[in-house]
Amino acid sequence: EQGSGAMGGSASLIPRDLLGEYQELTFLSKQEILLAYRRFSELLPKEERENACSARVPKSQILTLPELRANPFQHRICHVFSTSETGDDSMSFEDFLDMLSVFSDSATSDIKSHYAFRIFDFDNDGILDRKDLEQLVNCLTGQGEESRLSSAEMEQLIQNILEESDIDKDGTINLSEFQHVVSRSPDFASSFKIVL
Amino acid sequence: EDEEEDESKEEDNGSQQNRASRRKNYQRKNRDGKKAREEGGQKKDRGKTVPNKDQKESENKEKKTTKRGKEGENKQKKSRKNSTSSASSNSSDEESLSEEELAMLKEQVEQKKKLISTMRNKPWRMVKKLSVLREAQDFVEKFEGALGKGKGKKLYAYKMMMAKKWVKFKRDFENFKTQCIPWEMKIKEVESHFGSSVASYFIFLRWMYGVNLVLFGLIFGLVIIPEVLMGMPYGSLPRKTVPRAEQETAMDFSVLWDFEGYIKYSALFYGYYNNQRTIGWLKYRLPMAYFMVGISVFGYSLMVVIRSMARNANESTADGDDDNFIFSWKMFTSWDYLIGNPETADNKFASITTSFKESIVDEQESNKDENIHLRRFLRVLANVLIICCLCGSGYLIYFVVKRSQTFSKMQNIGWYERNEVEIVMSLLGMFCPPLFETIAALENYHPRIGLKWQLGRIFALFLGNLYTFLLALMDDVNEKLAEEDVVKNITHWTLLGHHNSSAGNDSTVTPPPLDPADVPRGPCWETTVGIEFVRLTVSDIMVTYITILVGDFIRACFVRFVNYCWCWDLEAGFPSYAEFDISGNVLGLVFNQGMIWMGSFYAPGLVGINVLRLLTSMYFQCWAVMSSNVPHARVFKASKSNNFYMGLLLLILFLSLLPVAYTIMSLPPSFDCGPFSGKKRMYDVIQETIELDFPLFVAKIFSYVANPGLIIPAILLMVLTIYYLNAVSKAYQRANTELKKKMQMQREEEKNKRNNKASTNPMLQDLEDLLTPSMKTESPPKHAEDKKIESPSGSSPARKPGRGEALAGSPMAGGRGAALTPPSQVFVTQPRTPGVRAPYPGQPRPWGHPLGPVPGRGRGQPCF
């Protein structure tokens, strides 16, 4: 009967103790988990909806979510949160919950910055180097040709960023440097947020 | 993947083990550093990157191995303990568990519990989290029972069960609470279209609605409803009856719209309340309740505002005005992940690009400032103009209020004359801010600073207007007070005359009471003030809504549909769509709240009106913003301004407390209306209650407490406490910065230790770059030497002169200037003695400008 009041029949598909565990392990409330479940199972084809907990949604379907549609980091987000072994960035329900938990309002700034780092680390090598930063700038300035920065500007920008954040001066930004910088930002926790 | 694993292990293990492994790592690093130094001695380019990577890898490996070892130990321990304790639980006798083991087990259980509660903070995959959680839960469940002895065991189990229940209850309660928050979806929709800054206005609005709902509950529950249910009914008293002269028109809409007629003589206003000490069968002390509610409205508001300010301040652990990371923040935190609308995303891309470009240009041109005199002149001019505007608007309001007082004495005046004050104030509020913005264009400030100025000016305008209005109203009140004395006599004589006449005619029959509608009565200034505030609020609501309708909706319709047949592009060109004006809206809300606070004492129904207003404007503005506004081109972040808004609210609260407190403390209440009639001052109601309803000693205590001899020291004490706390917080701040410095210093030192490689030291790299290229091949070895030079007391045994001379050549000893005089370089190889270095003496390098001259460097050795 858990949650049957809130979300109708869909709740019964998550076992009750699993729901409790999810609440324990994520920053989401019961309603949010159930809503996530509903949204997730909507992404699945009809015949798979019965066992949405074990099914995987392909990346192309995940990207149709309006919450991710306009996000320039959508591919990265999929990649970071996916546990797919084949590398196709498909997501299971638990991956999906992981994602929503990190992006939820009540997640700590620590875990948010951890995942932000991994999202920005385009080549997955554990550090942000110049290439990563360049790609990041390109993501942030959008696809339009007129909005791109010139290479001199890009160079200058990356130089400035490294001057600020690269504390040990190895030419790259590692996780602790990144967290150090980001944790001081007044806006980070409020903008690194996705609500279903 | 590896990293993740690593981290998780790190977190798994106790902190002591961590420390130990770290220490090992450091040693290892040192070794690595040395090795790398020897390797990379010749090739500089290689030296720059390769050893670092090597180092990292080896670090990782090292960490992993140590971790694995530790984990193995852990497991062993655990299994041993498991076996012992499971054995004990199997045989179920407590004696087999020694005290020590019990303590250890307990500790472990506690640890597991802690792990369970903090699991969500770990960056693990759900699968892993689930398995670890289950394991930990099993463990806890299994061994929890083993803890405690005999009777204690049951109690312990019971306590554990209750704790579990409590956790579950708390979680359910949280769920319930989140479900109760209204308008989540609406706000989310706005958020996804306009970003978090616009949504912050709606969140503020919702918060305000909550606060007003509480105030509404207080006032309605404790004042209005008791009065309506238990007080004397309408028509029983003069103050509760429409006077004879007004009775024919009292139900006309035009009269009601001005809050005259029946509305004026209703429980919505101060004058309606009777001064009877207790009402109804509950013996409800209404005047007392009225007074206390009036105070607690302010008390509650103050508490709520300050609490949320403190929470905001707590949440933002970082001080936002730290400008060391301008570029990094722009890069890493500027994307608003809530944006779900492609158009908004495009806007955001554009604004991020411009902000990048701007900041690059700013950085390049921060030093040159052309024609500072002209700019100063323009700024002064703009301020003079704005002060003129402010004075003008103040005078205009004073003039209008004065005029309205003469109007109010005249008969048959038109609609405009009656509402002139409100119209003028609304018009000023509508047209002055754009005027200010136009004038502010002269000043050419940075947008963010400009915004602050603009907000400050609008604030000053509103505040000035409000206070002029209050001053004029006060004049009015004083006039009314003078008038009242006359009326009081008349009333007295009328009542007496009536009594006498009826008594004279027929002394045996009790006289027919004088109809309450015929009793002459005073002006009741409190109700007048209340009505003024209600009218102001209502006209403010009207103006706001009409502005939205005309300025946003009609404009949007016009732009949208006329664009097909117009000679220029309306959407991109002149009128275009309106942006949502966050600051203006927030200020409007704040001022509206100020008026509510001020007016609610004299018009208890005002809060009800405000609740309705906030409710409707939530829906109306949500609709308007979604239908007819475009996202901001210039976005300013929400979180930074949150406390700014709260600060404004606090200021307004304080400023609206002042006039109310003044009237309560120093004006006599009207003699024939309101709950305090017949008293000298309103606060006499407290004294009266204490004297009549409390035992004697309470009154005595109260009189002692109210003694100025006690109050003044108390205030002094409070001031001193504030001073002390302030000093303490300053000291903490200093300690904080001191610690920061220390940390930087340590890092620096560590870095030097770890990378005895020259290439990673920025300062030296600088120096090196400025040296002649031919030197470069020789440079790596000499850096080791540089380090020695930097040590303060010259503790390095093998100091060689060549380099030092160059440094001593400039007074700054270490800036770029110093390096500009290339020394006759001597190739020196230096024996390394990393262990015995004295602590690094220099001031920490300022983080934002690592390439700039570092004053502290090389300070210790001026004499080579």
Side-chain angles (χ1 to χ4, degrees):
Chain A
E1 36 67 83
Q2 179 109 357
S4 56
M7 290 294 154
S10 68
S12 57
L13 294 173
I14 304 183
R16 188 183 162 154
D17 41 347
L18 193 60
L19 190 62
E21 281 171 343
Y22 285 153
Q23 284 182 62
E24 191 71 57
L25 294 176
T26 63
F27 293 97
L28 304 171
S29 69
K30 194 171 81 191
Q31 288 85 14
E32 286 168 320
I33 292 173
L34 293 174
L35 177 63
Y37 185 81
R38 212 180 46 190
R39 295 290 299 276
F40 184 79
S41 55
E42 276 167 13
L43 295 174
L44 286 166
K46 277 227 161 55
E47 59 274 13
E48 283 185 53
R49 281 192 192 166
E50 287 307 306
N51 48 355
C53 274
S54 53
R56 300 190 81 84
V57 174
K59 183 177 172 186
S60 56
Q61 277 293 313
I62 292 279
L63 295 187
T64 59
L65 280 173
E67 286 78 12
L68 286 178
R69 206 174 41 200
N71 197 317
F73 303 109
Q74 42 178 319
H75 300 287
R76 288 299 306 161
I77 291 175
C78 275
H79 181 81
V80 164
F81 288 99
S82 164
T83 50
S84 163
E85 269 142 26
T86 56
D88 61 350
D89 294 351
S90 61
M91 274 184 154
S92 68
F93 177 59
E94 290 184 348
D95 299 344
F96 193 60
L97 273 189
D98 268 337
M99 181 183 91
L100 291 178
S101 168
V102 168
F103 280 109
S104 81
D105 210 3
S106 41
T108 58
S109 144
D110 253 5
I111 194 158
K112 277 177 189 273
S113 55
H114 179 99
Y115 276 98
F117 182 80
R118 288 177 52 186
I119 288 169
F120 296 158
D121 180 15
F122 286 85
D123 48 10
N124 303 317
D125 62 352
I127 44 167
L128 299 185
D129 50 22
R130 277 171 175 273
K131 274 223 181 67
D132 289 326
L133 293 178
E134 207 167 296
Q135 237 167 325
L136 178 55
V137 173
N138 283 338
C139 271
L140 284 174
T141 51
Q143 309 303 319
E145 280 304 312
E146 76 283 354
S147 68
R148 282 280 163 97
L149 295 184
S150 69
S151 62
E153 283 170 332
M154 177 80 81
E155 187 60 30
Q156 179 71 40
L157 184 62
I158 290 175
Q159 189 59 43
N160 286 337
I161 287 167
L162 285 179
E163 273 174 25
E164 286 172 0
S165 328
D166 183 16
I167 292 159
D168 61 5
K169 299 290 159 208
D170 58 354
T172 59
I173 298 175
N174 60 30
L175 178 61
S176 55
E177 285 164 355
F178 181 80
Q179 285 187 324
H180 175 83
V181 171
V182 160
S183 67
R184 265 139 219 275
S185 160
D187 316 305
F188 175 68
S190 63
S191 63
F192 196 77
K193 199 163 84 173
I194 292 178
V195 186
L196 266 195
Chain B
E1 279 297 305
D2 269 356
E3 251 191 29
E4 199 177 275
E5 286 288 295
D6 248 274
E7 273 169 23
S8 59
K9 268 174 208 159
E10 195 168 358
E11 274 158 342
D12 250 347
N13 288 329
S15 57
Q16 279 193 336
Q17 292 162 5
N18 262 339
R19 228 174 288 145
S21 68
R22 254 181 228 154
R23 216 177 299 134
K24 267 185 201 167
N25 272 345
Y26 286 158
Q27 287 167 6
R28 176 68 183 260
K29 266 176 223 157
N30 276 346
R31 252 180 290 141
D32 276 353
K34 251 188 243 172
K35 224 188 293 167
R37 197 169 42 203
E38 278 154 22
E39 277 173 17
Q42 298 308 315
K43 271 196 207 161
K44 189 195 161 207
D45 284 349
R46 191 170 161 261
K48 220 170 199 167
T49 54
V50 173
N52 276 341
K53 274 222 173 114
D54 279 351
Q55 206 171 301
K56 244 170 219 160
E57 270 168 25
S58 61
E59 243 170 74
N60 271 355
K61 261 183 226 155
E62 168 89 22
K63 225 190 254 175
K64 224 183 276 179
T65 50
T66 53
K67 289 293 147 57
R68 214 161 275 158
K70 297 288 175 199
E71 195 148 276
E73 273 175 44
N74 238 12
K75 267 186 190 152
Q76 265 183 352
K77 246 189 257 169
K78 216 181 277 173
S79 61
R80 184 169 53 82
K81 234 169 272 167
N82 283 1
S83 62
T84 54
S85 45
S86 61
S88 74
S89 59
N90 282 345
S91 57
S92 75
D93 56 343
E94 299 87 31
E95 282 78 23
S96 72
L97 274 172
S98 71
E99 285 289 314
E100 205 176 313
E101 274 174 321
L102 205 67
M104 274 169 100
L105 190 63
K106 199 165 186 175
E107 196 179 313
Q108 251 182 331
V109 168
E110 287 303 315
Q111 223 170 16
K112 286 278 176 196
K113 269 189 198 159
K114 208 172 156 199
L115 177 68
I116 290 174
S117 64
T118 57
M119 190 103 70
R120 63 178 65 153
N121 288 322
K122 306 206 160 158
W124 300 345
R125 302 274 187 212
M126 183 66 84
V127 187
K128 183 176 175 190
K129 278 197 274 190
L130 270 178
S131 68
V132 175
L133 176 77
R134 281 176 188 152
E135 195 185 300
Q137 273 175 343
D138 285 348
F139 183 84
V140 169
E141 220 146 275
K142 201 167 171 189
F143 296 113
E144 226 166 31
L147 298 170
K149 289 180 188 172
K151 262 188 203 164
K153 194 166 167 178
K154 257 187 190 160
L155 189 71
Y156 190 79
Y158 178 72
K159 251 165 56 187
M160 284 303 129
M161 199 185 71
M162 286 319 283
K164 230 180 268 173
K165 282 257 159 70
W166 174 240
V167 167
K168 193 174 169 338
F169 172 75
K170 265 203 310 206
R171 205 161 63 193
D172 283 349
F173 187 67
E174 284 296 313
N175 285 341
F176 174 71
K177 255 191 355 199
T178 51
Q179 221 170 3
C180 285
I181 296 173
W183 304 312
E184 272 298 289
M185 291 320 282
K186 255 190 180 339
I187 288 175
K188 191 217 144 190
E189 206 180 333
V190 172
E191 231 166 17
S192 97
H193 273 82
F194 292 88
S196 53
S197 53
V198 173
S200 79
Y201 165 74
F202 287 98
I203 291 170
F204 188 62
L205 181 64
R206 184 173 66 182
W207 183 83
M208 210 63 130
Y209 178 71
V211 172
N212 274 286
L213 221 49
V214 174
L215 298 185
F216 177 76
L218 263 180
I219 290 179
F220 267 66
L222 295 179
V223 173
I224 294 185
I225 290 178
E227 169 68 30
V228 170
L229 289 183
M230 299 187 288
M232 308 265 272
Y234 173 81
S236 56
L237 284 172
R239 68 186 66 180
K240 298 190 177 194
T241 320
V242 179
R244 186 76 69 200
E246 296 173 25
Q247 257 174 12
E248 303 107 68
T249 58
M251 212 44 205
D252 292 1
F253 181 73
S254 64
V255 173
L256 291 181
W257 185 243
D258 286 335
F259 300 97
E260 299 279 337
Y262 283 109
I263 293 187
K264 184 178 175 184
Y265 300 96
S266 73
L268 298 181
F269 289 104
Y270 172 94
Y272 183 78
Y273 293 85
N274 196 5
N275 62 345
Q276 215 177 344
R277 267 198 73 231
T278 59
I279 55 169
W281 52 273
L282 278 176
K283 301 270 176 222
Y284 191 73
R285 284 167 176 74
L286 190 79
M288 183 68 187
Y290 196 100
F291 190 79
M292 294 315 281
V293 164
I295 289 177
S296 53
V297 161
F298 281 103
Y300 173 77
S301 311
L302 261 178
M303 195 188 74
V304 160
V305 170
I306 288 180
R307 211 180 55 184
S308 77
M309 270 182 93
R311 205 174 42 222
N312 278 351
N314 261 347
E315 263 172 22
S316 61
T317 47
D319 29 0
D321 37 68
D322 189 355
D323 57 350
N324 283 337
F325 300 115
I326 312 163
F327 286 97
S328 307
W329 284 347
K330 279 211 172 107
M331 182 85 141
F332 298 134
T333 70
S334 60
W335 183 258
D336 193 339
Y337 287 73
L338 286 161
I339 292 173
N341 185 28
E343 275 179 47
T344 318
D346 284 344
N347 277 1
K348 189 80 189 169
F349 287 139
S351 82
I352 289 176
T353 313
T354 23
S355 85
F356 277 152
K357 284 182 178 164
E358 262 176 17
S359 54
I360 290 171
V361 172
D362 272 2
E363 174 91 354
Q364 281 165 354
E365 297 189 357
S366 57
N367 293 330
K368 57 173 157 175
D369 201 350
E370 82 289 355
N371 209 346
I372 193 154
H373 293 296
L374 178 65
R375 182 171 291 181
R376 263 189 205 151
F377 170 72
L378 284 179
R379 281 179 185 178
V380 170
L381 182 69
N383 277 315
V384 168
L385 283 178
I386 281 169
I387 287 173
C388 286
C389 283
L390 289 177
C391 293
S393 79
Y395 177 72
L396 190 60
I397 287 175
Y398 191 78
F399 174 74
V400 166
V401 175
K402 277 283 165 201
R403 215 158 78 120
S404 80
Q405 283 158 17
T406 57
F407 280 143
S408 68
K409 291 191 191 88
M410 294 195 311
Q411 299 297 313
N412 53 22
I413 43 171
W415 178 83
Y416 171 74
E417 277 85 4
R418 269 203 313 276
N419 293 297
E420 198 182 38
V421 181
E422 286 78 19
I423 292 171
V424 167
M425 279 186 78
S426 303
L427 285 181
L428 279 175
M430 222 157 76
F431 288 110
C432 276
L435 185 67
F436 288 171
E437 205 154 353
T438 323
I439 294 174
L442 283 177
E443 295 178 304
N444 199 11
Y445 275 124
H446 187 276
R448 195 183 296 140
I449 302 169
L451 193 73
K452 281 256 160 78
W453 275 95
Q454 172 76 358
L455 283 179
R457 279 162 186 165
I458 298 175
F459 194 78
L461 171 79
F462 282 3
L463 208 63
N465 292 356
L466 207 61
Y467 260 71
T468 340
F469 173 72
L470 278 181
L471 281 182
L473 211 59
M474 214 48 105
D475 279 357
D476 197 21
V477 166
N478 283 333
E479 236 167 75
K480 288 239 161 85
L481 280 174
E483 189 186 331
E484 207 177 60
D485 283 338
V486 183
V487 179
K488 201 172 175 180
N489 275 335
I490 296 173
T491 317
H492 184 71
W493 286 114
T494 317
L495 284 176
L496 210 64
H498 177 72
H499 190 75
N500 282 345
S501 63
S502 50
N505 288 343
D506 192 352
S507 51
T508 53
V509 182
T510 48
L514 184 65
D515 191 287
D518 293 329
V519 178
R521 53 185 88 164
C524 196
W525 61 267
E526 292 96 336
T527 299
T528 318
V529 170
I531 288 177
E532 282 301 326
F533 275 107
V534 172
R535 278 161 66 171
L536 211 56
T537 308
V538 170
S539 73
D540 183 45
I541 297 172
M542 304 296 291
V543 169
T544 312
Y545 286 5
I546 290 171
T547 324
I548 291 173
L549 215 57
V550 174
D552 290 348
F553 184 65
I554 307 260
R555 177 169 153 192
C557 286
F558 175 78
V559 169
R560 179 83 182 75
F561 295 113
V562 180
N563 200 24
Y564 297 118
C565 48
W566 202 262
C567 33
W568 69 83
D569 189 2
L570 286 173
E571 286 185 346
F574 162 59
S576 78
Y577 297 107
E579 282 181 354
F580 185 76
D581 176 17
I582 305 167
S583 47
N585 273 304
V586 168
L587 278 183
L589 206 58
V590 166
F591 269 88
N592 172 57
Q593 194 57 42
M595 282 192 298
I596 304 303
W597 277 324
M598 263 192 259
S600 67
F601 191 75
Y602 297 120
L606 189 57
V607 180
I609 296 174
N610 194 41
V611 165
L612 280 182
R613 178 225 168 112
L614 294 176
L615 190 68
T616 49
S617 70
M618 189 78 200
Y619 288 99
F620 186 57
Q621 288 195 300
C622 264
W623 166 77
V625 86
M626 293 301 280
S627 69
S628 45
N629 283 8
V630 287
H632 268 257
R634 192 181 76 192
V635 182
F636 80 104
K637 285 289 175 67
S639 57
K640 242 184 212 170
S641 38
N642 255 351
N643 249 4
F644 183 63
Y645 294 152
M646 284 291 167
L648 288 187
L649 200 61
L650 189 65
L651 186 61
I652 280 288
L653 178 55
F654 181 70
L655 289 176
S656 55
L657 181 61
L658 283 184
V660 176
Y662 170 75
T663 50
I664 287 178
M665 297 310 281
S666 54
L667 288 185
S670 296
F671 75 99
D672 65 344
C673 70
F676 311 115
S677 52
K679 297 193 175 55
K680 269 214 180 85
R681 292 283 182 265
M682 293 181 188
Y683 58 82
D684 284 348
V685 73
I686 294 181
Q687 250 162 351
E688 186 191 68
T689 310
I690 285 173
E691 272 164 23
L692 295 179
D693 293 335
F694 285 95
L696 195 65
F697 74 92
V698 178
K700 243 183 191 165
I701 292 173
F702 186 76
S703 70
Y704 286 136
V705 169
N707 190 356
L710 217 63
I711 290 178
I712 291 170
I715 291 176
L716 266 179
L717 189 71
M718 271 199 270
V719 169
L720 287 179
T721 317
I722 290 172
Y723 175 77
Y724 170 73
L725 288 178
N726 200 21
V728 166
S729 82
K730 278 224 178 92
Y732 278 139
Q733 253 171 13
R734 243 199 325 273
N736 230 347
T737 51
E738 208 58 37
L739 279 176
K740 253 188 216 164
K741 267 187 194 171
K742 235 180 219 166
M743 254 166 63
Q744 288 177 349
M745 233 139 82
Q746 227 165 18
R747 202 191 300 266
E748 202 98 344
E749 195 187 350
E750 208 172 274
K751 211 167 56 195
N752 287 354
K753 256 192 219 161
R754 183 177 32 174
N755 314 329
N756 269 349
K757 281 309 307 154
S759 47
T760 47
N761 192 325
M763 173 66 193
L764 301 173
Q765 213 173 313
D766 254 13
L767 281 173
E768 201 175 299
D769 289 344
L770 290 164
L771 292 175
T772 48
S774 61
M775 301 291 183
K776 273 198 174 168
T777 47
E778 303 169 356
S779 50
K782 98 189 163 233
H783 287 298
E785 213 245 342
D786 277 347
K787 296 252 167 56
K788 293 290 156 282
I789 287 173
E790 282 160 22
S791 68
S793 52
S795 65
S796 85
R799 205 187 302 126
K800 296 286 187 309
R803 188 64 176 183
E805 276 165 11
L807 288 175
S810 92
M812 284 309 289
R816 280 182 185 197
L820 282 173
T821 55
S824 57
Q825 188 56 51
V826 190
F827 189 95
V828 183
T829 37
Q830 148 126 42
R832 279 137 205 139
T833 50
V836 290
R837 183 171 302 143
Y840 180 59
Q843 282 168 13
R845 177 170 50 77
W847 287 14
H849 319 278
L851 291 180
V854 182
R857 292 240 174 185
R859 189 171 46 181
Q861 63 295 342
C863 47
F864 286 109

